[in-house]
Amino acid sequence: MNHDITVILVDDDPHVRLSAGQTLELEDYQVLALADARQALARITPDFAGVVVTDINMPGMNGLDLLQQLKRMDPDIPVILITGFGDISMAVGAIRNGAYDFIEKPFSADLLLDVVHRALEKRTLTLENRKLRQELQAQSAPGPRIIGTSSAILQLRQLILTVADTPADVLLMGETGTGKDLLARYIHEHSPRRERNFVAINCGGVPETLIESELFGHEKGAFTDARERRIGKLEHANGGTLFLDEIESMPMSLQIKLLRVLEERAIERLGSNTLIPLDLRIIAATKADLRALAELGEFREDLYYRLNVVRIDIPPLRARRQDIPMLFQHFALLASTLYEREIPPLSPDRIHRLMSHDWPGNVRELRNLAERYVLLGEACTFDFDNRPITEPEPVTRGLAARVEHFEKTLIQTELARHGGSIKDTLESLQLPRKTLYDKMKKHGLDKSDYRGEPD
């Protein structure tokens, strides 16, 4: 549905729809006026960010039936009932059953606007708290974590949390080193399948002669070297998740068989005629443009469209530069724990180089550098093999804007280095507490985002 809609107005009386709708629109509310409660129900989803105003007495599905259906969908959607003469006791009972409020006909414009305004405030707060709880759960859950506070990462995390608990297959698209394997594991760990197997296979790392047996398994005697039965990756992932990395490398003949598995959710081991039912989610990952490969005849078009039901594009590191200090510190903490070494403080010049580099190897390249830095300390060079360095900010920006950018980066780095400790951060930056807080507020920084516990 259109997420700009703030009020769905349901009444079989066209005069009420017209007058109440105009009242709300004059206050800049986006209104969808409908005569049938069933039409309204079809337009509402659990993430609906508005309120429902509905008459009680209507033919077909009445307002109380609509209320009951919406409460099953999301008990926090505010439903305001319009009552006629004699409906008051019914409306009071409906409030006990979850209605937000009721207004009695004939009602004034001011009363309608007041009730709708209060209901919308409550709905906004409810959705904000729900989103915050999801983000906190995502950050504190065991297993892989998606680290970062950039808008690109916040959007990515929200999209993944939206699809993780569905049965839909997923296609991950991202450059080398962006963390496709981590995201696949993250989706699995946040799905109802988390207690079952997560099985990964790199389609480009298995010889073409072996990959079919690896995926489907085989019966004893199916071919010359098949001395005993083997359970394939698909069957081993039954009930869980199968991750197919570098899907673009899968041989064309096997793509046909994979498409059949996706459509039938069953397999036959090599050398067998018995169908084995499967309940699994498939997550495929690629660094290639599968659509372009399909147009060239190098990837099956029907398989591409079958995999592309839910597509998640992973941003490259250069598109989320503000996350670089936090990620570097996170990887340095992991390396510090592994190698039992202290983390040397980063100089302003090194911070600038981190933020200026284009990171063709993405997060993997950053992690490798953080590990080298912990191992080698000041002897670790940040010259990136003498590759040209790109300015993170357009040269056309003035000095003040570039100083602001550097200041934010420096505060981010120190917060990350000290695990979000304000005391240690203000000491390392030699700033008064109030000054640090003012600068953090200006740059939208929160100390809780920099807690540096290793996974």
Side-chain angles (χ1 to χ4, degrees), residues 286-298:
T286 181
K287 60 180 180 292
D289 184 341
L290 293 186
R291 185 171 184 177
L293 291 179
E295 290 174 354
L296 293 170
E298 297 176 9

Side-chain angles (χ1 to χ4, degrees), residues 40-77:
L41 187 62
R43 300 293 297 272
I44 298 170
T45 58
D47 62 344
F48 174 51
V51 302
V52 177
V53 181
T54 179
D55 191 19
I56 288 183
N57 288 314
M58 293 182 291
M61 178 183 284
N62 63 35
L64 297 180
D65 294 333
L66 177 59
L67 169 67
Q68 187 177 29
Q69 292 293 326
L70 291 176
K71 291 296 138 184
R72 289 176 183 169
M73 180 188 300
D74 179 356
D76 294 322
I77 294 176

